[in-house]
Amino acid sequence: MKTINDFNFKDKKAIIRVDFNVPLDANFKVTDATRIEAAKPTIDKILQDGGSVILMSHLGRPKGVENKYSLQHIVYKIEEVLGKKIQFVNDCVGANVETVAANLKPGDVLLLENLRFYAEEEKGDPNFAEKLAKLGDIYVNDAFGTAHRAHASTAIIADFFTNKKCFGLLLAKEIESINKVLRDSEKPVTAILGGSKVSSKITIIENILDKVNHMIIGGGMTYTFVKALGGNIGNSICEDDKLDLAIEILKQAKAKGVQIHLPVDVVAADDFANNAATQVVNVNQIPDGWQGLDAGPKTLEIFKRIILDSKTILWNGPVGVFEMESFANGTIKVGDYIAEATKSGAFSLVGGGDSVAAVKQFGLEDKMSYVSTGGGAMLEMLEGKTLPGIAAILN
Ligand code: AMP
């Protein structure tokens, strides 16, 4: 796996695909600069080598050229993060951009205009990719958030750089982290899967059954399993068309020697609301009119023991409706247990959507070994798919 550390960028122009699709407020101010900060180590290393940097990204989902999606808005924030002035061109391909790029000096940073102002970007158009490729000597992909897309700038462009292409430090770290969980993991390996539906996690479950020793199932998914096993789940969320699938997963797990841990008790509520009445009940004895919205105390004790005994931990999906304070306890506790295990030397990866949001919300981010930056991309990696943006560099 080639990274920027395998290259000396002295007097070279690096064209870097970054993910600067950052949130903006009504005055076009950046409200969260995490993605820009995440690309800084890659940019800094290239500049320190004595190279120059051409940054390309998308922002939002523009239909053609729309000023509100101009990357011009974020120039000030990139300058703040990098601690230096940068240049901006109001296009990403063409003669003018080529001239500006050709005149870059070592230490210069140039930001191109939104790639998605051209429909060719998302179509993965080779001619468009070739025009982008012309601008740089070495192609660097550091955009994990779009690595699951075969777009011109994320994958197709790599064809125009035979040996001169590599991963940026962020993307390399993402790949390394997932490999630490799914490939070169220290045992016992535990996956904690939560979230609302079995159907959206089924491919992940099937892929990781070969790689883990324990699988903790929590959140809304629980009830499809419990109902399939003959339990009473009251009004809890359930996918009735996935009952057979749930039984099949349990069978597969048994055959593969994976221990599945379902909640034994839950916090049930008489309404899907923060101020609902609640009671702790056995997971398979939820009264009619009540629904399970969080893991119960006995369950959390069991989850705690498994998590603290693990050497490798993957967390995807909350174990309760953590957005409501009344049902956040289970997710907070699970986060705390993972933090504790990590402190004792386990490797922990949090990835994919809502668990990342939960970890940030509860201030646990720095206590995990790695928190993934790419929602959809991480989910596809967990599903065992080869991401186009990664394959394009490896080929
Ligand atoms: P997902 O996007 O599939 O990872 O699901 C995340 C969502 O699942 C979060 O918004 C949680 O509020 C929700 N969730 C977790 N537990 C439950 C539950 N017991 N009932 C309904 N929704 C839940």
Side-chain angles (χ1 to χ4, degrees):
M1 189 170 95
K2 267 196 187 162
T3 76
I4 54 165
N5 289 331
D6 297 305
F7 288 84
N8 185 340
F9 288 86
K10 187 167 168 33
D11 296 324
K12 300 280 183 234
K13 292 181 177 59
I15 180 154
I16 317 179
R17 178 52 157 106
V18 287
D19 179 5
F20 284 177
N21 183 29
V22 292
L24 301 177
D25 67 14
N27 299 316
F28 300 109
K29 292 285 169 263
V30 177
T31 55
D32 181 354
T34 310
R35 287 176 169 170
I36 301 175
E37 285 154 7
K40 180 175 159 62
T42 292
I43 298 168
D44 282 351
K45 136 83 185 167
I46 293 166
L47 296 180
Q48 273 158 19
D49 273 3
S52 55
V53 162
I54 301 162
L55 299 170
M56 55 177 175
S57 178
H58 74 284
L59 177 66
R61 292 170 181 240
K63 295 190 175 38
V65 179
E66 286 186 75
N67 180 57
K68 68 173 174 176
Y69 294 115
S70 171
L71 281 165
Q72 169 100 63
H73 302 307
I74 73 166
V75 166
Y76 84 98
K77 187 51 86 177
I78 301 174
E79 292 183 337
E80 229 173 85
V81 171
L82 296 183
K84 65 182 287 150
K85 285 272 164 209
I86 69 164
Q87 300 175 44
F88 175 77
V89 270
N90 64 356
D91 206 339
C92 57
V93 288
N96 179 37
V97 184
E98 284 169 27
T99 308
V100 177
N103 288 331
L104 289 175
K105 304 275 174 303
D108 286 350
V109 177
L110 170 67
L111 175 68
L112 306 182
E113 182 55 288
N114 196 338
L115 295 159
R116 290 195 187 167
F117 282 178
Y118 289 85
E120 288 90 334
E121 162 65 357
E122 288 184 83
K123 285 188 187 134
D125 182 277
N127 294 323
F128 180 68
E130 189 173 14
K131 285 184 199 162
L132 292 170
K134 264 191 186 172
L135 304 172
D137 305 311
I138 300 172
Y139 169 64
V140 179
N141 191 353
D142 210 19
F144 183 61
T146 48
H148 57 318
R149 308 284 184 218
H151 295 170
S153 70
T154 61
I156 314 304
I157 186 175
D159 293 344
F160 300 96
F161 295 88
T162 318
N163 287 315
K164 299 198 161 135
K165 55 185 177 181
C166 61
F167 296 109
L169 299 175
L170 171 69
L171 188 39
K173 183 93 195 196
E174 294 275 358
I175 299 170
E176 222 173 79
S177 301
I178 192 119
N179 283 344
K180 261 192 174 169
V181 171
L182 298 185
R183 284 201 194 165
D184 333 305
S185 53
E186 207 183 321
K187 312 257 175 299
V189 185
T190 298
I192 304 153
L193 297 181
S196 52
K197 291 179 176 170
V198 185
S199 52
S200 62
K201 299 283 158 91
I202 180 64
T203 324
I204 297 181
I205 296 178
E206 285 175 344
N207 183 45
I208 64 180
L209 271 182
D210 286 321
K211 301 163 172 128
V212 304
N213 305 102
H214 296 274
M215 189 178 290
I216 288 176
I217 292 181
M221 273 202 290
T222 305
Y223 308 97
T224 301
F225 284 90
V226 173
K227 183 165 181 184
L229 291 167
N232 293 326
I233 60 164
N235 285 6
S236 306
I237 188 171
C238 180
E239 290 172 281
D240 282 320
D241 59 334
K242 296 287 178 291
L243 298 178
D244 293 342
L245 185 65
I247 295 294
E248 183 51 36
I249 291 170
L250 295 176
K251 270 195 203 148
Q252 273 183 35
K254 194 161 186 195
K256 292 178 196 263
V258 177
Q259 290 189 48
I260 299 237
H261 308 274
L262 283 160
V264 293
D265 61 349
V266 294
V267 178
D270 66 353
D271 190 11
F272 189 81
N274 194 38
N275 61 358
T278 62
Q279 58 173 325
V280 174
V281 294
N282 287 337
V283 73
N284 53 4
Q285 294 174 327
I286 302 176
D288 289 346
W290 292 70
Q291 52 187 305
L293 294 184
D294 197 9
K298 284 188 207 147
T299 299
L300 290 173
E301 278 309 308
I302 297 169
F303 288 1
K304 179 180 184 179
R305 186 170 48 75
I306 307 292
I307 292 170
L308 292 186
D309 278 347
S310 303
K311 287 273 177 285
T312 305
I313 302 160
L314 167 71
W315 187 17
N316 171 268
V319 301
V321 184
F322 74 98
E323 298 93 337
M324 295 186 207
E325 210 185 328
S326 306
F327 311 106
N329 178 58
T331 300
I332 295 174
K333 287 270 167 63
V334 164
D336 285 341
Y337 305 151
I338 301 174
E340 200 178 325
T342 308
K343 206 172 166 194
S344 309
F347 179 82
S348 55
L349 168 64
V350 184
D354 276 312
S355 33
V356 173
V359 159
K360 287 187 179 168
Q361 185 178 325
F362 303 129
L364 291 163
E365 214 177 349
D366 296 337
K367 297 180 179 168
M368 308 288 149
S369 308
Y370 193 69
V371 179
S372 176
T373 59
M378 178 50 80
L379 293 178
E380 291 198 15
M381 282 196 91
L382 293 175
E383 288 175 350
K385 291 185 188 149
T386 307
L387 309 191
I390 293 175
I393 300 282
L394 296 177
N395 287 343

